[in-house]
Amino acid sequence: MSLAAGTPARSHDEDAIGIPPPCPTLVPAERYYSPRFAALEAERMWPKVWQLACTVDHVAEPGDYFEYRCGPYAVLIVRGDDGGLRAFQNACRHRGNALCAGSGQGLREIKCGYHGWTWDLAGTLKRVPGRKGFGVLRMPDFPLVPVRVEAWAGLVFVNLDPDAMPLADYLEGVPDDIAWCGLGDFRCYATLTVEVDANWKTIADGYSETYHVATLHPELLRCVDDVHAPQRIWGHTGKSDQPYGVPSPRLDGALSDEEVWDAYVYTQGALMGAAEGTPFPADERRPGQTVADLIAARTRSFAAGRGVDLGWADTDRITRLHQYNVFPNMTFLTNADHLTVMCSRPRRDAASDPDKGELVMFLMTRMAPGAPRTTPADVRVTAGTAEPGVVLTQDIRVLPGVQRGMRQPGFTHLVLSGEERRVINMHRNLERYLDLPESECMRCGTADETPPT
């Protein structure tokens, strides 16, 4: 189902999903709104894949806990008295009551609020009120049901499948590809969960291609090269990267350096501590310096203010944004001083409604080595009130219209290009997990063709 980490690179026009086809890839639109399809995902996919649940900052100390929910599933992640990280299905072994909700600190035991059954932080049953009434009840027979849990780069993943491949294998080539960045030095200071009237895949597609940049993000087009943005697919994972601090080639050299700077400040200024309207630093410019060099210099200075030395990072490592996709629903965007992680999933209060999803953003900052961890603030908002920056706000605002459009009777298939290969790869993996018949799979052709029987 996946390629092993370290698989040799193929030619520039071929990777794990093969040579791009000579025609569009057609994806059945009903995958995005069909209750039957959502039920298949809940049955065959969500319990079998590694999912980002929280960060190490959420569960840094003994007694810290975090409840992860995705559709009908709930997982309780706990930092034990021994410092070990454990996860359990969030259900009392007596009558199934959820044991914990949300997140918190100082947990000494896990006690059901319904009838009082109690476990230690390692999941061992310790107390059963009125135990004699059950006859012969052996305490070791009723531990909390364990869930696979592993951490990578400060991110905590869970998998409900006890036979799942190790997380390192699932991530394939990603850890080695981004090892230079030192992701473990980032700390999560907040999460933002945005409730969106769109399927989780509709949300995920938005951060799996750059084809939309030219139309949806005209401000961003003025400071990013969306054309020379190479992609690679490993199997469960894929990546692309885009140079920032340069105008898109689509603009044919029409912008001045000042205009490129202004666009970067407007869309990305927070990454270098520059407030909106910060003027072009012409007086700081040395001979031969590009706009990207000036952005890198300002970013190094901003990092130094919080005790972070970016002297090891050249201009490209500071200004080139690397985006990694991990099936089914995660992406992270990073460079030498930036890490934002995003996940989409079925909305917890509407798990049976395919038109309801949520986008979770993990907001991170690089800290000096050895910096203490603080518990992130977890914030939930509606799409109408969310404003996580110019570009992400534009991404969120477009999603309900995309979801409505896919429900129209004349819209039968998404028509995807080779540039949208990370979207194609998500569906390719989805078809494998759901074991779909060939008649329901993606195909190459035109939307008005009758698929082969």
Side-chain angles (χ1 to χ4, degrees):
M1 189 172 291
S2 67
L3 297 180
T7 299
R10 306 183 185 188
S11 64
H12 71 280
D13 61 350
E14 182 180 2
D15 54 23
I17 64 173
I19 297 173
C23 55
T25 298
L26 305 183
V27 178
E30 69 170 355
R31 294 184 181 187
Y32 288 77
Y33 58 80
S34 163
R36 179 189 69 86
F37 198 86
L40 273 180
E41 292 174 340
E43 175 190 350
R44 300 179 183 178
M45 188 272 288
W46 289 115
K48 299 290 185 180
V49 294
W50 283 101
Q51 303 167 56
L52 175 60
C54 63
T55 69
V56 170
D57 299 288
H58 286 94
V59 284
E61 300 296 331
D64 289 354
Y65 67 92
F66 186 92
E67 181 200 26
Y68 171 69
R69 292 175 61 180
C70 179
Y73 302 109
V75 175
L76 176 61
I77 302 162
V78 178
R79 181 70 68 177
D81 299 322
D82 59 357
L85 193 62
R86 297 179 178 87
F88 309 100
Q89 294 183 23
N90 192 10
C92 176
R93 294 298 304 274
H94 173 220
R95 295 262 294 276
N97 182 47
L99 296 166
C100 293
S103 61
Q105 297 81 41
L107 197 67
R108 296 182 179 274
E109 60 186 15
I110 302 171
K111 181 178 181 180
C112 178
Y114 198 1
H115 297 94
W117 283 39
T118 303
W119 291 260
D120 63 20
L121 299 188
T124 301
L125 183 60
K126 293 300 183 183
R127 292 195 304 276
V128 175
R131 181 178 171 186
K132 291 182 179 179
F134 291 91
V136 179
L137 187 152
R138 297 182 65 253
M139 305 290 266
D141 290 344
F142 296 94
L144 294 179
V145 179
V147 171
R148 294 281 299 275
V149 59
E150 295 188 37
W152 170 70
L155 307 174
V156 178
F157 295 78
V158 296
N159 194 319
L160 289 161
D161 181 4
D163 299 320
M165 70 175 69
L167 176 64
D169 293 343
Y170 193 88
L171 293 175
E172 301 165 323
V174 171
D176 287 342
D177 199 74
I178 197 60
W180 62 268
C181 194
L183 296 183
D185 291 337
F186 285 87
R187 300 284 188 269
C188 181
Y189 61 87
T191 69
L192 179 65
T193 299
V194 184
E195 298 175 350
V196 184
D197 289 337
N199 185 265
W200 70 270
K201 295 184 293 297
T202 306
I203 301 170
D205 290 353
Y207 49 69
S208 299
E209 46 88 4
T210 56
Y211 182 44
H212 69 277
V213 170
T215 302
L216 188 61
H217 306 310
E219 303 90 348
L220 190 61
L221 199 67
R222 300 166 70 86
C223 63
V224 64
D225 185 344
D226 62 320
V227 174
H228 302 108
Q231 301 186 65
R232 181 178 178 185
I233 306 295
W234 282 283
H236 285 111
T237 57
K239 69 165 289 188
S240 72
D241 60 83
Q242 303 89 39
Y244 276 69
V246 294
S248 170
R250 301 177 196 276
L251 301 180
D252 198 25
L255 298 184
S256 66
D257 287 350
E258 289 81 359
E259 289 172 311
V260 175
W261 169 272
D262 290 344
Y264 188 87
V265 168
Y266 181 59
T267 61
Q268 315 289 316
L271 301 182
M272 59 177 182
E276 185 175 345
T278 298
F280 182 71
D283 56 337
E284 300 174 14
R285 190 175 198 174
R286 299 193 304 271
Q289 276 195 315
T290 65
V291 176
D293 290 331
L294 292 170
I295 290 170
R298 185 67 64 94
T299 303
R300 290 189 195 95
S301 177
F302 178 53
R306 58 181 191 278
V308 174
D309 179 10
L310 289 182
W312 55 271
D314 62 14
T315 292
D316 186 72
R317 286 190 164 176
I318 292 176
T319 59
R320 182 180 295 271
L321 189 66
H322 300 259
Q323 181 171 345
Y324 294 85
N325 293 79
V326 179
F327 179 81
N329 64 334
M330 170 189 165
T331 193
F332 66 93
L333 303 97
T334 189
N335 59 31
D337 198 42
H338 174 214
L339 176 61
T340 298
V341 187
M342 298 188 291
C343 293
S344 63
R345 55 191 184 226
R347 193 186 302 175
R348 61 172 62 180
D349 60 352
S352 61
D353 185 349
D355 288 329
K356 306 293 183 183
E358 58 187 34
L359 170 64
V360 184
M361 285 177 275
F362 295 80
L363 308 178
M364 319 282 282
T365 188
R366 187 184 286 280
M367 301 296 289
R373 295 187 182 275
T374 58
T375 303
D378 297 316
V379 179
R380 176 177 285 268
V381 297
T382 63
T385 59
E387 293 188 359
V390 175
V391 175
L392 285 173
T393 299
Q394 291 169 339
D395 286 327
I396 291 168
R397 295 286 193 268
V398 78
L399 294 172
V402 176
Q403 188 68 26
R404 288 194 303 272
M406 285 193 288
R407 274 189 167 273
Q408 304 313 304
F411 186 82
T412 60
H413 293 79
L414 286 73
V415 183
L416 302 181
S417 70
E419 198 286 336
E420 296 160 297
R421 61 195 301 104
R422 284 177 290 149
V423 179
I424 295 170
N425 192 52
M426 184 271 286
H427 283 280
R428 167 180 170 267
N429 279 293
L430 194 59
E431 291 176 355
R432 292 177 173 182
Y433 277 88
L434 302 191
D435 193 23
L436 295 180
E438 186 176 352
S439 61
E440 296 183 21
C441 288
M442 296 181 291
R443 60 186 174 87
C444 176
T446 59
D448 57 357
E449 290 178 349
T450 301
T453 57

